[in-house]
């Protein structure tokens, strides 16, 4: 059994709830595993968690990849573009099938072998932000362009 806190972040909209996945998540309550939909904000959630399981690749996933933690993500609710999928698979364990994702989480818990690279930032840099420490410089440049009437 993997020590520490395990939190499963489920999409807040019940429209996307999958009974089999919810039952799976609830089966771990005795093992210090919590599933939440919207009761806690994602950055706080991620700071508490040792493993991150997400049931839909939305903004929460973009926030999660900033953490150096194992992430497992269910993709059956959204079509992930080829480019996004290629980059995400380098950082996140993806599955479009709830049963397969559950198996991969179980394998990780048993072996502690993560089938992606927690240090890979390609998806984050392509779809989110650069990790070069120059965000403020880029923001000032963008504001200057806006003030001068240029489009970004």
């Amino acid at each position: 059994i993997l020590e520490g806190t395990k939190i499963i972040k489920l999409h807040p909209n019940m429209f996307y709830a999958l009974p089999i996945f919810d039952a799976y998540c609830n089966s771990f309550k005795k093992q210090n595993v919590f599933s939440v939909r919207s009761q806690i904000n994602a950055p706080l959630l991620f700071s508490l968690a040792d493993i991150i399981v997400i049931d839909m690749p939305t903004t929460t996933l973009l926030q999660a990849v900033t953490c150096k933690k194992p992430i497992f993500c269910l993709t059956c609710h959204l079509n992930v573009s080829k480019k996004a999928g290629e980059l995400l698979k380098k950082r996140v364990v993806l599955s479009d099938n709830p049963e397969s994702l559950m198996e991969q989480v179980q394998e990780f818990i048993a072996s502690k072998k993560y089938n992606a690279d927690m240090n890979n930032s390609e998806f984050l840099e392509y779809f989110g932000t650069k990790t070069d420490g120059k965000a403020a410089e880029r923001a000032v440049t963008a504001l200057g362009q806006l003030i001068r009437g240029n489009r970004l």
Side-chain angles (χ1 to χ4, degrees), residues 23-150:
Y24 172 76
C25 296
N26 289 329
S27 73
F28 289 98
K29 284 184 178 177
K30 292 180 182 176
Q31 298 177 29
N32 201 25
V33 177
F34 305 93
S35 60
V36 297
R37 288 198 183 279
S38 59
Q39 301 92 322
I40 186 171
N41 72 37
L44 176 58
L45 183 72
F46 301 148
S47 73
L48 301 171
D50 297 312
I51 301 172
I52 301 169
V53 180
I54 299 172
D55 67 342
M56 188 172 199
T58 60
T59 307
T60 301
L61 179 60
L62 193 58
Q63 293 170 317
V65 296
T66 65
C67 306
K68 301 289 188 223
K69 298 184 180 187
I71 303 168
F72 298 82
C73 183
L74 187 61
T75 60
C76 64
H77 294 298
L78 290 177
N79 289 329
V80 176
S81 73
K82 183 178 178 183
K83 179 71 172 178
E86 289 171 358
L87 294 176
L88 259 181
K89 285 179 184 175
K90 295 178 182 184
R91 172 62 184 91
V92 176
V93 175
L94 296 177
S95 178
D96 63 356
N97 178 288
E99 290 86 354
S100 174
L101 187 70
M102 292 182 275
E103 287 175 15
Q104 292 177 76
V105 171
Q106 288 294 101
E107 288 175 20
F108 173 75
I109 290 171
S111 69
K112 297 185 178 134
K113 183 176 182 284
Y114 184 57
N115 294 323
D117 179 3
M118 285 186 278
N119 295 310
N120 186 289
S121 62
E122 292 176 62
F123 177 82
L124 180 62
E125 291 183 12
Y126 191 86
F127 290 100
T129 186
K130 303 278 186 218
T131 57
D132 59 5
K134 297 182 180 180
E137 185 179 317
R138 283 191 296 278
V140 168
T141 300
L143 283 172
Q145 290 176 344
L146 287 172
I147 290 168
R148 289 187 297 278
N150 298 331

Side-chain angles (χ1 to χ4, degrees), residues 6-20:
K6 282 76 66 188
I7 299 175
I8 301 170
K9 172 67 174 93
L10 302 170
H11 194 276
N13 188 332
M14 290 300 292
F15 176 79
Y16 298 106
L18 295 173
I20 190 170

